[in-house]
Every structure is written in structure tokens, then in C-alpha cells.
Amino acid sequence: MNFIIFTETKLRAFTYSVFKKMGCSDEHADLATDVLIRSDLRGIDSHGVARLSGYVRLWDKKRINANPNIKIVHETPTTATVDGDAGLGLVVAPFAMQVAIEKAEKYGSGWVSVKNSNHFGIAGYHALMAIEKDMIGISMTNASPLVAPTYANERLLGTNPMCYAFPAGKYPPVIVDMATAAAANGKLEIAQRANKSVPDGWVQDKSGENSTDPNELKNGGSLLPLGSDKDHGSHKGYGLSATVDILSAVLSGANYGPWVPPFVAFLEPSANPVGEGLGHFLGAMRVDGFRPAADFKDHLDNWVERFKSAKTIDPNKKVIIPGEPEHEFEQERKIGGIPIIDVVVKDLNELAVKLGLEELK
């Protein structure tokens, strides 16, 4: 597996040009670019520019509206439902989070459920928007049905990520950002590109047997919930995934469960949808609605320090604070550049040729 290093500036310019070719406004192209590049900077390579051609293919199939009329369709002082008008989730979710933040500024908290959207990138991007306002940010989304519930041999749920972001003082924010499946689908895609097997407990084949083949989803298999099997707590991962699906879609009027439209363009959405598009759920809570923000951040710093000083089984390993690896990646890659696997670079250059853009070099 070979990597090619690109500067953040070069990747931003290329990504922006792709979104502009799709017909996005300057503002939307810039925002969508920022979401993807932030993912690559934070080391979440599966959700960065590697996803770019997927968005273009959905746009080609007219499943993404490059110029959506994103609007609030139901509202109370602290809650809202947003219709994304089939827009890029990379644009729809930040709009919804901004609504949540504005409500929180007035009333202490804001909660927004979204329908008629698409894949929104990394959950962490949207939750982090609240951090800048000394708020706790919450972000989640349902996704293409690839996960079998505990005991099932049928894809009924997505990887359904959820993120909680907490502002600290002298330390980076504490960010719990995770898929509710044993692994995100993007990690399987990376393993496929690298021709590597995946750990036991990530996937099952079409017969329901454990497998380490990253191609099982293509062969009729499914991802497993967080926990892998009942003995290891898969019912908990299933429960978390169900929570995301209900808050994101049953609450908003989006498609849920097996009716969620697939991210891949070669698979058609359900002929009998139960809602509109994908669903998201965003929330913001003012820290000073509970205690002075400075006090909270001082104590979260203390929390971080105590956990970092924990005794460990292996003296060469330290307890990792949620969000710490991504923060370190971001600091390193802003200076040293962003490594992109050669297979992804090839894919992006084929996209460039198709759209009449300058190739990445």
C-alpha cells in the first residue's frame, strides 16, 4: 500500500473544484470541502476525499441536489425539523447544527432532526461546531442498511455513527465519535483497497458465519453491531444503533431501517420508501445552563489529567482520551501534509478527467 502526500491547500482546491462542477454554490462548495478535508486532517481517511467520487456518482444519478432549498418545516422554541431538499449532507447537517446552536443561545439547548438529506461526512465535524460557543455538541445520522441486528441475518441498520463533543480548557475538546457497528464501512473499503483481511467480529457472511473477508458485503454478508455477538455485548451496539435511527429518521420523517437509501449509486433506493432521504439528529447544550463554563472546562481538564495518569497494563501505553488521536493527526497533517492511498489518488484523477479538471499531482 503506497501513499502520496498532498498539502491541505492542494486537496482543498481540488475538492472545491469538484463540488463547483457539480453545480454547488461557492458557499456550499466551500463548506462541503471543509467537511471532507477536516476528516482527512483528523486521520479519518475513510470519510475524506476518498468519498468524493461517491458523491459525484449520486449526483449523476440525480439523487443529490447541488442547489437545495434547505428549510425548517416544523419548529418549537427549542426543537426543529429540517428538510434538506436532497442536498449534500455535508451542507445540510451544518445548517441544522447552526439552527440547534441558535436555539441553544436563546433557550439553553437546541435539538434538530433532519430528513431528506444524504451522507454527512464525519459526525465529529458537526458536533465540534458547538464547541466554539462553549456548548456540548451532539451529532448522529442513520446510514445505508449494512448491519444485522443481534441474532439476525438481514441488513436492517446502518453503521449509524454518534458523536458527543465537550469543550475543555487548556486541553483539546473531548470528542466521543464512533460508529455503532463493530466497524465503519469505510474501514472495510480501505481493507479492500489494500487487499487485507479485517479483524474477526467485524462481518458475517451471507450464512451468518463470522468472516475476515472485507468483501463479504458485496457477497451478501453484513456488518455486525458494536460488540460483534451477544456474548460480547452486540445487543448494546444494536440498541445504540436503533437509538440513532429513531432520533434521526423516525422522528424527522426520513427513511429508517432497511429503507434508508444506499450510499453507492449502483444500488437503487427502495421502491416503497417510508420517508424522505437520510436522517440526521443534531443537538447543542449551553454548558452555562448547568454551571459556569469556566468551571466546567477547568474540571474537564482535571478529568483529562486524571485519566491520562491512570495505571496501565503495559507501561508503554497510556490511556487515550476520546478525540486525542484525531487532534494529534490534525496537528501533524496541517504541517506535514495529508497522505492519500495511491488507489484513491487514481480514483480522484479518473474523476478529474471525467469532469474536465486538472489532475492531482
Side-chain angles (χ1 to χ4, degrees):
M1 183 167 54
N2 298 312
F3 291 91
I4 302 172
I5 307 294
F6 294 96
T7 64
E8 177 186 348
T9 302
K10 182 178 281 290
L11 280 182
R12 279 186 181 276
F14 178 84
T15 305
Y16 176 86
S17 69
V18 171
F19 285 124
K20 285 296 292 179
K21 278 286 186 178
M22 288 171 61
C24 295
S25 66
D26 291 347
E27 179 186 4
H28 284 186
D30 190 56
L31 178 54
T33 295
D34 195 48
V35 178
L36 291 191
I37 299 303
R38 192 78 187 276
S39 178
D40 281 316
L41 283 171
R42 292 177 66 78
I44 311 171
D45 302 333
S46 59
H47 285 61
V49 295
R51 291 268 175 173
L52 197 51
S53 60
Y55 294 118
V56 173
R57 285 191 288 269
L58 288 174
W59 170 70
D60 279 339
K61 295 290 290 284
K62 296 183 168 48
R63 284 173 51 192
I64 284 180
N65 178 6
N67 287 286
N69 176 24
I70 308 167
K71 59 184 181 295
I72 296 172
V73 293
H74 187 84
E75 187 173 22
T76 74
T78 59
T79 66
T81 299
V82 164
D83 185 330
D85 195 25
L88 283 161
L90 307 170
V91 171
V92 176
F95 174 95
M97 181 51 106
Q98 189 57 43
V99 171
I101 289 170
E102 289 170 4
K103 288 182 175 296
E105 287 177 326
K106 290 182 181 179
Y107 302 106
S109 68
W111 305 94
V112 180
S113 198
V114 179
K115 66 176 180 177
N116 204 7
S117 187
N118 283 283
H119 189 276
F120 78 175
I122 54 169
Y125 183 94
H126 316 299
L128 278 167
M129 289 173 62
I131 294 292
E132 300 166 13
K133 301 285 187 177
D134 274 351
M135 296 180 186
I136 295 166
I138 298 172
S139 170
M140 56 188 74
T141 183
N142 69 359
S144 309
L146 299 171
V147 181
T150 303
Y151 297 138
N153 190 19
E154 185 179 1
R155 301 177 185 178
L156 294 179
L157 290 165
T159 53
N160 294 6
M162 55 170 58
C163 179
Y164 295 81
F166 304 92
K170 62 184 178 181
Y171 294 107
V174 174
I175 305 167
V176 181
D177 186 356
M178 63 180 191
T180 55
N185 184 41
K187 292 188 176 180
L188 265 68
E189 293 171 349
I190 289 173
Q192 290 165 15
R193 285 167 171 157
N195 197 28
K196 290 185 175 180
S197 61
V198 296
D200 187 45
W202 281 18
V203 294
Q204 63 183 19
D205 63 22
K206 62 183 179 182
S207 301
E209 299 295 324
N210 277 336
S211 173
T212 59
D213 183 354
N215 298 293
E216 287 297 0
L217 297 185
K218 299 176 182 177
N219 302 323
S222 52
L223 283 168
L224 293 168
L226 184 64
S228 300
D229 58 34
K230 182 67 165 61
D231 290 341
H232 294 90
S234 70
H235 57 292
K236 298 175 184 179
Y238 166 37
L240 289 171
S241 185
T243 301
V244 173
D245 204 29
I246 294 166
L247 287 173
S248 299
V250 179
L251 191 60
S252 69
N255 288 291
Y256 46 82
W259 292 279
V260 176
F263 178 76
V264 290
F266 61 83
L267 293 177
E268 293 298 323
S270 172
N272 300 295
V274 293
E276 298 176 82
L278 265 73
H280 318 312
F281 187 76
L282 296 307
M285 296 186 291
R286 272 170 48 184
V287 169
D288 66 3
F290 300 90
R291 71 185 300 186
D295 288 353
F296 173 83
K297 292 195 286 187
D298 283 346
H299 279 277
L300 190 54
D301 284 346
N302 187 52
W303 185 96
V304 169
E305 289 172 356
R306 180 62 187 89
F307 276 69
K308 288 297 290 180
S309 66
K311 296 176 182 177
T312 55
I313 300 167
D314 182 344
N316 295 316
K317 293 182 179 179
K318 298 293 183 183
V319 169
I320 298 170
I321 303 301
E324 184 180 19
E326 291 85 355
H327 176 75
E328 291 175 353
F329 269 122
E330 191 162 10
Q331 304 312 302
E332 293 169 3
R333 291 185 173 188
K334 273 190 168 294
I335 297 170
I338 300 171
I340 305 294
I341 189 172
D342 53 4
V343 178
V344 172
V345 175
K346 181 176 181 290
D347 180 52
L348 292 174
N349 283 333
E350 288 173 355
L351 183 62
V353 171
K354 173 184 174 181
L355 297 175
L357 298 170
E358 184 177 341
E359 294 184 30
L360 273 173
K361 295 177 182 175

